[in-house]
Amino acid sequence: MKIGLVLEGGALRGMFTAGVLDVLSEQGVSVDGVIGVSAGACFGCNYKSGQVGRAVRYNTRFARDKRYCSLWSWLTTGNLFNAKFAYHTVAEELDIFDNAAFLANPMEYHLVATDVLTGCPVYQQMVKGGAWLYEWLRASSSMPIASRVVEVDGYKLLDGGISDSIPLRHFESIGYERNVVVLTQPLGFKKKPMRGMWLMKLLLRKYPKLVEALENRWKMYNDELDYIVQRAESGHCLIIAPDKVLPIGRISHDAEKMWETHGMGRKAAEERLEEIRTFLKKD
């Protein structure tokens, strides 16, 4: 039996997930594999590389740096989160990602992106580090309109949350029978139809399948939440979620709110640490 972690996205709401993972890492809680979506993928990779605190550290450090995430970056490059600076320069020079530790850890690492031509999820196991890894992380977290389409390994990709926001079913399908699912919205949250679909249809008219996936995303997301709750009730997964709406939105330049959200994730993990250990213990 394989045990895993399933990490929802949510952009800067992912600071909650980073807090949870930092506690698990500090306490030596390990799993056989992780699957992350969008921010879940970008922040979760530090759990596999053993870099406690890295996600909140670089996000707060560059919170107001126009090279990292800014209207200036979007206007000049087409990417709100700057493709080169945010995904390569930071990892390679300014807050170095430990590729050697990432690859040495036997834990599997998977992520989800969305194929813009089909509107379907692409599930990719991260078997290499460096620029290849960073481009897949960028693909998984590139929001429509706010980002250009990412081309990697012959795919044209955008945010994985468009097509599979909380990929518990997929992880179960490849043998992960017992999973901890980390959400970035409180239990009971329900997504509503996307506002501004007319603009999406206009700007993304080259990708009708992607537009269709965006239009139906709220249904997919709510169905996945219902499934996760059912699996938790039957004892097959454990849900860690904020106990209230997080104080941060998808996009934020407020370092204090990042630390507050990270602290909420740490608190949630610390309070349920023994429950998590018991749940993940293999029979």
Side-chain angles (χ1 to χ4, degrees), residues 64-93:
R64 297 190 181 277
D65 191 321
K66 70 177 184 178
R67 298 171 298 171
Y68 184 69
C69 173
S70 66
L71 179 61
W72 175 84
S73 175
W74 184 68
L75 291 173
T76 57
T77 72
N79 294 292
L80 187 65
F81 284 88
N82 188 276
K84 185 176 188 301
F85 186 84
Y87 291 94
H88 292 270
T89 304
V90 170
E92 294 165 0
E93 301 175 22

Side-chain angles (χ1 to χ4, degrees), residues 190-205:
K190 291 293 183 182
K191 191 172 286 295
K192 297 178 181 179
M194 181 182 289
R195 292 181 294 180
M197 270 307 303
W198 66 270
L199 183 60
M200 291 289 185
K201 290 177 179 178
L202 176 65
L203 297 179
L204 298 171
R205 58 189 179 276

Side-chain angles (χ1 to χ4, degrees), residues 18-277:
V20 171
L21 296 178
D22 282 348
V23 170
L24 297 186
S25 188
E26 290 168 352
Q27 297 298 320
V29 178
S30 185
V31 295
D32 298 308
V34 178
I35 187 165
V37 181
S38 194
C42 286
F43 301 158
C45 62
N46 300 292
Y47 175 62
K48 179 170 160 64
S49 67
Q51 293 176 275
V52 174
R54 179 174 177 269
V56 69
R57 184 174 63 238
Y58 73 74
N59 274 283
T60 53
R61 177 182 174 185
F62 300 111
R64 297 190 181 277
D65 191 321
K66 70 177 184 178
R67 298 171 298 171
Y68 184 69
C69 173
S70 66
L71 179 61
W72 175 84
S73 175
W74 184 68
L75 291 173
T76 57
T77 72
N79 294 292
L80 187 65
F81 284 88
N82 188 276
K84 185 176 188 301
F85 186 84
Y87 291 94
H88 292 270
T89 304
V90 170
E92 294 165 0
E93 301 175 22
L94 302 176
D95 198 323
I96 296 174
F97 181 71
D98 193 339
N99 283 282
F102 180 86
L103 295 174
N105 188 334
M107 181 190 305
E108 290 185 359
Y109 199 80
H110 302 250
L111 58 72
V112 188
T114 299
D115 186 322
V116 300
L117 300 179
T118 66
C120 296
V122 175
Y123 304 101
Q124 180 69 43
Q125 184 175 350
M126 297 292 96
V127 295
K128 295 186 291 184
W132 181 82
L133 168 64
Y134 308 149
E135 282 298 282
W136 271 102
L137 293 172
R138 185 165 77 90
S140 179
S141 54
S142 287
M143 297 177 285
I145 310 303
S147 310
R148 292 185 181 275
V149 170
V150 180
E151 297 190 28
V152 56
D153 289 351
Y155 291 104
K156 293 178 183 291
L157 303 167
L158 283 175
D159 197 307
I162 298 167
S163 54
D164 194 351
S165 297
I166 315 166
L168 177 61
R169 283 189 179 98
H170 173 75
F171 228 30
E172 289 178 337
S173 77
I174 61 172
Y176 285 86
E177 299 176 30
R178 188 178 297 170
N179 296 280
V180 172
V181 178
V182 183
L183 303 178
T184 56
Q185 294 281 14
L187 279 176
F189 170 81
K190 291 293 183 182
K191 191 172 286 295
K192 297 178 181 179
M194 181 182 289
R195 292 181 294 180
M197 270 307 303
W198 66 270
L199 183 60
M200 291 289 185
K201 290 177 179 178
L202 176 65
L203 297 179
L204 298 171
R205 58 189 179 276
K206 287 171 55 179
Y207 307 114
K209 293 295 185 181
L210 178 69
V211 170
E212 183 179 346
L214 284 164
E215 197 162 22
N216 292 318
R217 187 189 173 213
W218 68 282
K219 298 176 185 177
M220 173 273 294
Y221 184 90
N222 292 338
D223 174 70
E224 290 188 339
L225 283 177
D226 290 343
Y227 180 74
I228 289 163
V229 170
Q230 292 169 12
R231 297 300 281 169
E233 290 174 347
S234 65
H236 291 91
C237 83
L238 178 70
I239 303 170
I240 301 177
D243 58 8
K244 59 183 178 181
V245 175
L246 293 172
I248 200 167
R250 293 180 64 85
I251 303 300
S252 176
H253 302 286
D254 190 328
E256 289 187 7
K257 288 185 178 180
M258 293 180 197
W259 279 114
E260 182 182 356
T261 304
H262 182 266
M264 291 173 68
R266 287 193 61 93
K267 183 173 182 287
E270 289 166 349
E271 290 179 345
R272 300 182 65 188
L273 186 58
E274 291 311 309
E275 183 184 2
I276 294 168
R277 287 190 192 276

